[in-house]
Amino acid sequence: MRAVVCPAYGPPEIIRIEERRSPAPGPGQVRVRVGAAAVNFPDVLVIAGEYQIKVPPPFVPGSEFAGTVVEIADDVDSVAVGDRVTGTGIVGAFAEEVAVPAAGLARIPDGVDDHRAAAFGVAYRTAYHCLRSVARIRAGDQLVVLGAGGGVGLAAVQLGVQLGAEVTAVASSAEKLSAAAAYGASHLIDHTTGDLRGTLREALPEGAHAVVDPVGGRLSEPALRSLRRGGRFVTVGFASGVIPQIPLNLVLVKGIHLLGFQFQDLPPDEFHRNEDELRKLLTTGQVNPHISAVYPLTRATAALRKVADGKAIGKILLDLTA
Ligand SMILES: NC(=O)c1ccc[n+]([C@@H]2O[C@H](COP(=O)([O-])OP(=O)(O)OC[C@H]3O[C@@H](n4cnc5c(N)ncnc54)[C@H](OP(=O)(O)O)[C@@H]3O)[C@@H](O)[C@H]2O)c1
């Protein structure tokens, strides 16, 4: 089988395609023929050796896949050969086949193809859990989304609208903002063309109820300043590569709630409620992942480069059958 291999830490251009032996499932594992893998920003960081968890090279990158079970270990009874599943991990997904623990897999609902299943994973789950359980969005809330054309950001726009929020999308290009508008964002702000603080004040004279920030850097402070008294600022990640320094007087003066999003912090009952709601949104077609590009395995570098440069709109996929 073919796999993307990272031979040493570096930029996306360091990866290469190798022919490897099919992985044999160990105890508790299954072998999955991968149909599609999502390319996520952390994949770029793992390859660069800059992710919070370091994987020693050589390794097969890729953190999220959808495919079909083709072999199971003797002790596995939770899934069967032929089942269609999605899975996540730190590495391993950019290959035609993966051997993974059966316990971590989720069934793909009928009627959802591998592309939609792969694209709907981490980004939409992050956005939904964040909006529901951390930003605690309610109908009528004013929600500001930074990085609104990216994977998590565009998902937050779509899902925020579903939850009844009025969404202000902040991004760096007309193309990204037009994608956000297509999913219902009411206010569109290109942060490259002016003073974000002033533009947000004009768009939201009474202030926002919540900000979702997957970008960090110089955008965080003006976004935080756009909050009304008691507003919620949720930090999700630092795609800009810069961790902002926030003056705490801003937090004190308006009684702002500064919150961080991590999956492991979610209370189990809320986690399961959110997962069920999200699954329903996918299966009923109320929310469809935005897939802007699909690359064959041989073009994995181009896919990773697009994500590394912040140019991806919504989700970028690798098609492992192409
Ligand atoms: N906490 C969690 O559990 C969790 C889960 C998933 C993801 N994350 C994190 O969330 C962040 C966003 O993930 P994502 O999948 O939405 O990424 P993405 O699709 O690449 O989008 C990131 C956005 O960040 C902006 N950006 C600014 N400078 C950038 C740069 N130098 N390189 C890349 N992007 C830049 C871009 O928006 P502009 O239009 O403004 O340029 C881009 O659209 C990442 O840091 C990721 O690790 C955290």
Side-chain angles (χ1 to χ4, degrees), residues 41-42 126 147 150-152 171-172 176 191 214-215 236 238-240 261 263 307-308 310:
F41 193 80
T126 300
V152 173
S172 60
K176 287 179 173 178
H191 65 77
V215 182
V236 179
F238 309 105
S240 65
F261 174 78
F263 278 101
V307 172

Side-chain angles (χ1 to χ4, degrees), residues 19-301:
E19 195 62 41
R20 292 197 155 191
R21 214 179 264 167
S22 277
Q29 290 193 328
V30 304
R31 181 161 58 94
V32 176
R33 184 176 304 126
V34 178
V39 183
N40 289 303
F41 193 80
D43 299 328
V44 175
L45 299 178
V46 172
I47 291 168
E50 290 168 7
Y51 192 59
Q52 51 212 323
I53 298 165
K54 303 262 182 291
V55 183
F59 59 86
V60 175
S63 50
E64 182 166 33
F65 64 86
T68 305
V69 175
V70 289
E71 185 183 353
I72 62 173
D74 291 343
D75 59 347
V76 169
D77 56 12
S78 56
V79 290
V81 169
D83 283 352
R84 297 183 55 244
V85 293
T86 55
T88 55
I90 306 295
V91 290
F94 295 168
E96 287 173 323
E97 295 187 336
V98 289
V100 286
L105 298 173
R107 298 275 170 90
I108 299 175
D110 289 343
V112 176
D113 64 22
D114 284 352
H115 285 197
R116 280 174 69 212
F120 203 70
V122 172
Y124 284 76
R125 290 178 63 231
T126 300
Y128 197 66
H129 286 293
C130 174
L131 293 171
R132 258 319 238 136
S133 291
V134 186
R136 300 206 171 269
I137 293 300
R138 288 186 294 256
D141 278 357
Q142 293 285 351
L143 166 67
V144 174
V145 178
L146 302 184
V152 173
L154 195 51
V157 170
Q158 289 178 261
L159 294 165
V161 169
Q162 280 295 323
L163 291 170
E166 191 168 311
V167 177
T168 298
V170 180
S172 60
S173 72
E175 207 187 349
K176 287 179 173 178
L177 290 171
S178 95
Y183 291 111
S186 309
H187 307 283
L188 308 174
I189 298 178
D190 184 337
H191 65 77
T192 64
T193 58
D195 158 40
L196 180 58
R197 183 178 168 186
T199 323
L200 279 168
R201 197 188 296 131
E202 260 171 50
L204 303 167
E206 290 176 32
H209 294 89
V211 171
V212 169
D213 179 8
V215 182
R218 64 181 180 78
L219 303 185
S220 300
E221 185 179 324
L224 185 135
R225 285 178 183 273
S226 78
L227 285 167
R228 64 181 63 192
R229 171 160 288 284
R232 284 100 55 201
F233 184 97
V234 188
T235 175
V236 179
F238 309 105
S240 65
V242 179
I243 298 174
Q245 310 287 312
I246 299 291
L248 280 181
N249 61 316
L250 301 179
V251 174
L252 180 106
V253 167
K254 286 208 240 168
I256 282 164
H257 300 259
L258 263 185
L259 303 152
F261 174 78
Q262 291 281 358
F263 278 101
Q264 62 264 36
D265 296 335
L266 296 164
D269 54 337
E270 288 196 32
F271 178 84
H272 293 300
R273 177 203 63 191
N274 298 349
E275 290 282 318
D276 288 347
E277 289 176 354
L278 194 53
R279 201 173 172 83
K280 200 162 158 209
L281 288 171
L282 175 67
T283 49
T284 57
Q286 281 171 278
V287 172
N288 267 311
H290 184 92
I291 300 168
S292 59
V294 181
Y295 292 83
L297 183 66
T298 48
R299 299 204 58 225
T301 298

